[in-house]
Amino acid sequence: PEAAAAIREADALLICTGAGMGVDSGLGSFRGKMAGVWPPLRALRMDFSEMSCPRWFQSDPRLAWAFWHFRHQAYTKGTPHEGYDILAKWGSKMQYGLFSVTSNIDGHWVRTEGVGDERTYECHGTVMYMQHTEEEGDDPPWPTDHARIDTLEVPEWDLKPGDEVEAQLPHEGWVPAVVAEDGSLSRKADSGAKTVALPAALAVRRPGGEDLCRVREGCPLPGDEKGAWRPAVLMFGDWGVNTVRIDEQARRFEAWLSTVPQDANLAIVEIGAGTAVSTIRRIGEGTARKFKKSSFIRINLEDPTAPADCGERQVSVGGLGALAALRAIDAELAPGKV
């Protein structure tokens, strides 16, 4: 009820979303209970932040594009869930409208009616745009040729616990292994039936088969006469991301925020924003502190506590996913509810 009251009284809506917002669209988050981004990561004993790094486009581009092909397909083939439309509906009724700030790179806010590109700030970029791996000049990123990415040939990762595979190890070459319950790899110990965990593998294949972690050899990788492509996304340890479009969106966000009076009842709804990469939390909390009459609503499955100094009213919504929480608030806003 408290969250619904804040929305009902609001003059403007700022939506701040992290990875937890996409879970109900079938997208895994990077950490926490709903983690799950690319199946081979466990077998490679690689953390998400290590794989989501631009250096792979130079050192192992077929591995890089297998990872980014998976993410591109998940994001572009997935559909924004009902929660996006619920938030857009709320904002459309407010005097100063809405703006969406997101660290998600899935492009789902741009696809939401009533929000679109003009009211979206994708602060980490998006898979919907590409750039060259080695940028020269100030040319902006260009829209992704989705058909081109679709043609990348990546073997299906359909391994199950107990499957026998071969793992390529740095100093041993290809060795027999078994898929463990958690998706990592193990092999039989010399002493008999017991298994021991394998160290990080460089590649994985079914016995005598093809590498399951990379784009097939012979399949052309995205690029043109100016060089190889990569998504225009801010990755970890990324000093080469093209920020032309990101900066343009940031300016539009600041321009919108300047139209909202300092004494307005600004509702800030933060959803699924983690603490490991705290960009969205910083933006939402910082804006709430600037607008003294604002209401700050934090929806987070695992860490919902809202800081006491964020605006005039703080609401914490925990234990629910994004869509369930938004539906519950929306039900409280139905005609006849007080």
Side-chain angles (χ1 to χ4, degrees), residues 18-23 26-37 48 272 302:
M21 181 66 177
V23 170
L27 310 178
S29 62
F30 311 130
R31 300 168 186 86
K33 294 178 182 177
M34 306 307 293
V37 180
F48 167 79
E302 299 175 54

Side-chain angles (χ1 to χ4, degrees), residues 51-294:
M51 187 65 244
S52 186
C53 180
R55 66 184 175 88
W56 296 111
F57 284 97
Q58 276 78 35
S59 65
D60 197 342
R62 291 190 178 275
L63 176 68
W65 270 112
F67 173 71
W68 282 99
H69 175 265
F70 178 89
R71 299 186 72 186
H72 172 271
Q73 297 299 90
Y75 298 156
T76 59
K77 308 304 182 188
T79 302
H81 60 73
E82 180 193 348
Y84 289 82
D85 290 328
I86 289 173
L87 286 158
K89 177 184 67 176
W90 294 349
S92 69
K93 298 175 182 179
M94 298 179 188
Q95 182 178 355
Y96 301 104
L98 64 84
F99 211 97
S100 167
V101 178
T102 186
S103 59
N104 297 338
I105 62 172
D106 52 31
H108 283 192
W109 278 113
V110 172
R111 291 163 58 185
T112 300
E113 187 175 351
V115 184
D117 188 58
E118 289 300 313
R119 293 188 176 274
T120 301
Y121 171 25
E122 296 159 311
C123 56
H124 291 171
T126 173
V127 296
M128 307 298 284
Y129 279 75
M130 291 283 146
Q131 64 171 86
H132 289 107
T133 56
E134 296 186 15
E135 285 289 301
E136 294 183 7
D138 297 321
D139 292 337
W142 59 89
T144 297
D145 180 349
H146 298 298
R148 177 72 186 84
I149 308 304
D150 290 346
T151 63
L152 289 175
E153 298 174 15
V154 183
E156 182 183 4
W157 183 277
D158 58 355
L159 302 179
K160 305 180 298 296
D163 282 355
E164 294 184 355
V165 297
E166 293 176 331
Q168 187 179 34
L169 302 184
H171 304 296
E172 299 182 54
W174 291 99
V175 301
V178 176
V179 180
E181 287 295 328
D182 65 355
S184 64
L185 302 181
S186 60
R187 62 177 168 183
K188 288 184 179 180
D190 295 336
S191 58
K194 287 189 176 181
T195 59
V196 295
L198 276 184
L202 301 175
V204 181
R205 69 186 183 188
R206 292 191 177 276
E210 60 184 341
D211 183 0
L212 300 177
C213 303
R214 289 168 176 80
V215 175
R216 287 190 174 107
E217 291 295 332
C219 177
L221 298 180
D224 56 25
E225 67 280 358
K226 291 184 179 180
W229 297 353
R230 51 159 280 189
V233 167
L234 178 62
M235 304 177 198
F236 290 86
D238 194 352
W239 300 102
V241 62
N242 186 320
T243 65
V244 170
R245 185 171 178 275
I246 296 172
D247 293 342
E248 181 182 321
Q249 288 185 327
R251 287 191 290 270
R252 287 204 294 267
F253 169 52
E254 292 298 332
W256 173 80
L257 209 55
S258 71
T259 68
V260 181
Q262 285 292 304
D263 60 352
N265 292 319
L266 172 65
I268 300 166
V269 181
E270 180 205 276
I271 308 170
T275 57
V277 179
S278 58
T279 310
I280 291 300
R281 288 198 171 212
R282 290 200 309 271
I283 292 173
E285 292 174 9
T287 305
R289 293 183 181 109
K290 291 177 183 176
F291 289 80
K292 301 305 180 185
K293 291 185 65 178
S294 64

